[in-house]
Amino acid sequence: MADAARLFLLVAVAAALAGRSDGAWCVCRSDLGDSALQKTLDYACGDGADCKPILQNGPCFAPDTVRAHCSYAVNSFYQRNNQNAQACVFSGTAILSNTDPSGNGCTYPATPSAAATSNGGSPGVDSPPTMGPSALNDNSGAGVLPVAGVAARLVILASSLMALYLSA
């Protein structure tokens, strides 16, 4: 039984650290104010998200709220970065969801291929920065950057593997 539990834990850790989750969406947190979400929206749209659908007269303009536009933008950014979990951090203002946020004639891309760039490029966080301002307490007006990276995931993986080895 203990071996099965260790194997399950190892698989769960590996899946979490893989940085990918097909069929998942990235959405802005519902418990944050418009100021923090506007910074996230601005960053995502300025760094590779396809924000044309949330422009006035676009299929995803309604509802015309910062939260709705933020969620569309961060999801586009996340999908265009091959569902890299680090592309949905945004200093804690966005989260991954398995619930499709599409509705009211607006379809959120659910796969990287559905959000592919038309120019063949894929700007974004292939190597995400390890630091960025916190949208929750940053009053400088700076954009919100995704945080953490491969090195942090490797440290977590190594720690988990060491814990599993020592518990055997």
Side-chain angles (χ1 to χ4, degrees):
M1 180 69 150
D3 289 336
R6 279 191 214 113
L7 179 60
F8 178 77
L9 177 62
L10 181 60
V11 169
V13 168
L17 295 175
R20 242 188 108 88
S21 178
D22 289 332
W25 295 268
C26 179
V27 295
C28 289
R29 288 179 35 195
S30 60
D31 61 329
L32 298 178
D34 285 354
S35 176
L37 299 182
Q38 184 66 53
K39 290 179 184 180
T40 300
L41 170 62
D42 294 343
Y43 177 80
C45 288
D47 201 41
D50 177 11
C51 292
K52 290 178 188 154
I54 58 176
L55 296 176
Q56 193 167 8
N57 297 323
C60 298
F61 180 73
D64 183 15
T65 65
V66 172
R67 186 172 328 287
H69 291 181
C70 178
S71 288
Y72 188 89
V74 299
N75 184 65
S76 173
F77 186 87
Y78 169 69
Q79 299 298 342
R80 286 181 168 213
N81 283 282
N82 296 312
Q83 294 186 341
N84 177 336
Q86 298 307 313
C88 187
V89 173
F90 295 99
S91 295
T93 60
I95 59 171
L96 290 174
S97 172
N98 287 323
T99 304
D100 186 353
S102 300
N104 298 325
C106 175
T107 302
Y108 282 55
T111 62
S113 60
T117 58
S118 58
N119 63 6
S122 181
V125 296
D126 292 332
S127 298
T130 56
M131 296 173 41
S134 169
L136 302 178
N137 37 351
D138 174 42
N139 296 320
S140 68
V144 180
L145 301 175
V147 295
V150 175
R153 289 188 280 167
L154 290 175
V155 168
I156 294 168
L157 179 59
S159 299
S160 299
L161 292 174
M162 181 63 80
L164 286 172
Y165 175 75
L166 293 175
S167 67

